[in-house]
Amino acid sequence: MKKKNVFVAVIFSLSLSLFAQTQSKNDLEKIMLSVDEAVKMALEKNVSVLRGQITLNAAARAKAHSWNSISPTASVSGGLSIPDGIADSSSPSDYSTSLTGTLGLSFAPSLFSSIMKARLDYESGQITYEQTCSTVELNVRKAYYGLLAEQENITLQRRNLQTAKDQYEQNLAKYNQGRMSELDVLSAEVKYKSLEPTVENAYVTFLNDLDTFMQLIGMEKRYFIEFAGSLDDLPTDKAVSLDNVKINAPTVASLKKQLESARAAVLAARFTAYAPSITAQWQHGLKQDKSKSDDWTNSGTITLTAKIPLDGFLPWSTGASTVDKAKDTIADLELQLADAEKKVKVSTESSLRKIRQSQSAIKAKQANVQLAERTYEMTLQAYNRGTKDLLSLQNASDGLLSAQVSLKSEQQSCINAVLELENTIGVPYGTLLGGK
């Protein structure tokens, strides 16, 4: 396996020359990136994750300040009263001043529901943020393995191109020696030349997908990524089982939190419609009337107010309608939750079947690659002996390439199916498949 990976890396590095031709004069810095490093970078720099963090921070502040409705209110006011026409008055000190301070405090049972709502909103925001991070990680891992598959496909295509080129040069040498017809030489040349655009197109597609991937993980364009490892490094033949796996589907968790918030909303609506509120206020003032005396007079009042809403007891009132609407929301969310739990179960079973079918296909395609390799080797030997024509050799070469590409594609599909299942059931990526 190590020799194979080294050979793949060497062959792929040859294609860097094409990339260099398409870039500006600025040299790109090469960087070897593993899938875990790519995920870490995306969780630090991806725009969706950063925006989600801002939203979560706002919910955290709202939770921390949710008690502020009982915060006392305080105010100070002052006044100066001067009679009209004081400039002509014989008593220039004929004016009055005042200074008043007010301190108030309000309390309503809805305070408890407000605090509860802020807490639930924050917890819901945490779930949303975690879902955002999970989605970004899923996209990064799928894109990473997709690019890894494209890279290995380019390696196979270049190897096939090199084989066709070697065959053409051998046939040309035989033709010059009078041992081969010109038709066979032309056929080999057509085969060789026709493969060049295929390799070029594959590499251009790789570069376009690489740009998208770099934007996803927040990497600057001054780097050129080299991907670590191979699809063969992942144990796609490992049996996938959910035994002893704790399932915590994000969609279900989100709906449960929404349902909890909806129940809190019913309580808040009831408090607003039926519960009394109490307000306390203390006011103290100082006043001086210079036209009467130089002394300051004090005055103070304490006010207690209790407000009991009665309209909530009327079934057609706004308060009663708000309670009924909140109850309808609960009923709707309960239906959504039951449906989501069923969907997760169905999706999980479907994914398991898909994974097992893909693993079975991988085994069959691995056998096909071995058979195609043996067929090509035997056909090449026969061609060199003159018992097989050039068309047979080209068909054998095409068959080998097709088998190899099909195997890589199936491996990628299996990996993506496992990642999708892990995302659906809410377990850390790598739980079901892991690595060697």
Side-chain angles (χ1 to χ4, degrees):
M1 181 61 68
K2 290 183 178 179
K3 292 182 178 179
K4 180 179 179 181
N5 288 341
V6 171
F7 181 74
V8 167
V10 171
I11 293 296
F12 184 75
S13 64
L14 296 176
S15 61
L16 292 178
S17 60
L18 173 63
F19 177 80
Q21 295 174 3
T22 63
Q23 304 303 304
S24 63
K25 295 181 180 180
N26 296 326
D27 294 332
L28 297 178
E29 181 180 347
K30 298 177 187 177
I31 181 172
M32 182 68 71
L33 195 68
S34 68
V35 63
D36 291 332
E37 290 170 339
V39 169
K40 182 176 182 295
M41 185 176 295
L43 294 180
E44 292 174 352
K45 299 182 178 180
N46 182 270
V47 173
S48 297
V49 174
L50 296 177
R51 292 181 63 193
Q53 185 64 61
I54 293 174
T55 302
L56 183 60
N57 290 341
R61 286 195 304 272
K63 175 189 173 185
H65 301 158
S66 58
W67 55 269
N68 61 6
S69 63
I70 62 170
S71 178
T73 60
S75 63
V76 176
S77 61
L80 173 64
S81 176
I82 302 175
D84 187 31
I86 192 172
D88 300 328
S89 175
S90 60
S91 179
S93 60
D94 190 13
Y95 64 88
S96 63
T97 58
S98 63
L99 182 65
T100 304
T102 304
L103 182 65
L105 183 67
S106 298
F107 174 79
S110 59
L111 168 67
F112 299 109
S113 59
S114 298
I115 294 175
M116 183 183 299
K117 180 179 183 302
R119 176 181 62 81
L120 292 173
D121 286 346
Y122 173 70
E123 292 174 356
S124 179
Q126 283 183 309
I127 294 175
T128 301
Y129 176 71
E130 290 169 359
Q131 284 180 307
T132 300
C133 292
S134 180
T135 300
V136 169
E137 181 173 355
L138 174 66
N139 293 336
V140 170
R141 289 182 179 274
K142 291 174 67 174
Y144 185 96
Y145 291 124
L147 288 166
L148 198 58
E150 290 184 38
Q151 174 178 299
E152 296 183 5
N153 175 62
I154 292 172
T155 300
L156 293 173
Q157 296 286 356
R158 291 185 67 86
R159 187 185 300 168
N160 192 50
L161 175 63
Q162 186 62 45
T163 300
K165 180 180 179 182
D166 293 342
Q167 191 62 58
Y168 162 67
E169 292 174 348
Q170 291 176 10
N171 289 356
L172 181 61
K174 291 179 180 179
Y175 170 74
N176 292 333
Q177 296 171 4
R179 297 164 51 198
M180 181 169 287
S181 67
E182 183 179 3
L183 181 60
D184 284 344
V185 175
L186 292 176
S187 178
E189 184 177 11
V190 169
K191 173 71 174 180
Y192 161 55
K193 295 295 184 181
S194 65
L195 290 176
E196 287 182 334
T198 302
V199 176
E200 300 284 342
N201 291 338
Y203 199 72
V204 169
T205 300
F206 172 79
L207 292 178
N208 292 336
D209 292 341
L210 180 62
D211 286 343
T212 302
F213 176 76
M214 293 178 71
Q215 180 181 5
L216 178 63
I217 65 176
M219 177 173 281
E220 299 178 12
K221 283 289 292 178
R222 64 188 182 89
Y223 294 101
F224 179 76
I225 301 175
E226 292 182 337
F227 296 90
S230 165
L231 292 179
D232 295 327
D233 295 335
L234 290 171
T236 51
D237 57 346
K238 176 183 176 182
V240 175
S241 173
L242 298 184
D243 296 340
N244 301 320
V245 175
K246 184 179 180 181
I247 297 177
N248 184 29
T251 53
V252 173
S254 177
L255 283 170
K256 285 182 177 179
K257 190 57 64 177
Q258 291 180 47
L259 184 57
E260 192 176 351
S261 297
R263 288 169 177 156
V266 170
L267 181 61
R270 284 172 173 166
F271 278 148
T272 302
Y274 309 118
S277 60
I278 299 174
T279 302
Q281 187 181 71
W282 172 71
Q283 187 178 71
H284 186 77
L286 296 174
K287 186 175 181 181
Q288 181 188 48
D289 190 344
K290 295 292 288 184
S291 65
K292 298 178 180 180
S293 171
D294 291 336
D295 297 331
W296 288 85
T297 59
N298 295 307
S299 64
T301 59
I302 296 177
T303 305
L304 292 175
T305 305
K307 179 181 178 182
I308 302 176
L310 298 177
D311 62 329
F313 295 95
L314 304 176
W316 57 82
S317 67
T318 301
S321 298
T322 302
V323 173
D324 292 337
K325 185 177 180 181
K327 290 180 179 179
D328 292 340
T329 301
I330 290 179
D332 181 63
L333 286 171
E334 287 175 340
L335 292 174
Q336 292 185 52
L337 177 59
D339 186 56
E341 290 174 338
K342 293 178 182 178
K343 285 182 178 179
V344 168
K345 184 177 180 180
V346 170
S347 177
T348 299
E349 294 174 351
S350 176
S351 295
L352 285 172
R353 286 192 293 267
K354 182 178 179 180
I355 291 169
R356 289 162 185 161
Q357 184 275 331
S358 183
Q359 289 177 329
S360 177
I362 288 174
K363 292 180 180 179
K365 291 182 178 184
Q366 287 173 335
N368 288 342
V369 170
Q370 294 176 354
L371 180 60
E373 287 174 344
R374 182 59 179 159
T375 300
Y376 176 76
E377 291 172 358
M378 295 177 64
T379 304
L380 179 60
Q381 294 173 2
Y383 176 76
N384 291 333
R385 292 195 303 267
T387 56
K388 288 287 186 178
D389 58 16
L390 180 61
L391 180 60
S392 298
L393 180 61
Q394 291 175 345
N395 289 337
S397 177
D398 292 341
L400 175 58
L401 176 63
S402 177
Q404 292 170 327
V405 171
S406 179
L407 173 60
K408 296 300 179 184
S409 177
E410 193 63 51
Q411 287 176 322
Q412 182 188 357
S413 296
C414 181
I415 293 169
N416 285 345
V418 173
L419 291 172
E420 291 284 0
L421 176 58
E422 290 172 333
N423 180 66
T424 298
I425 63 178
V427 299
Y429 295 102
T431 299
L432 302 180
L433 201 59
K436 290 182 179 178

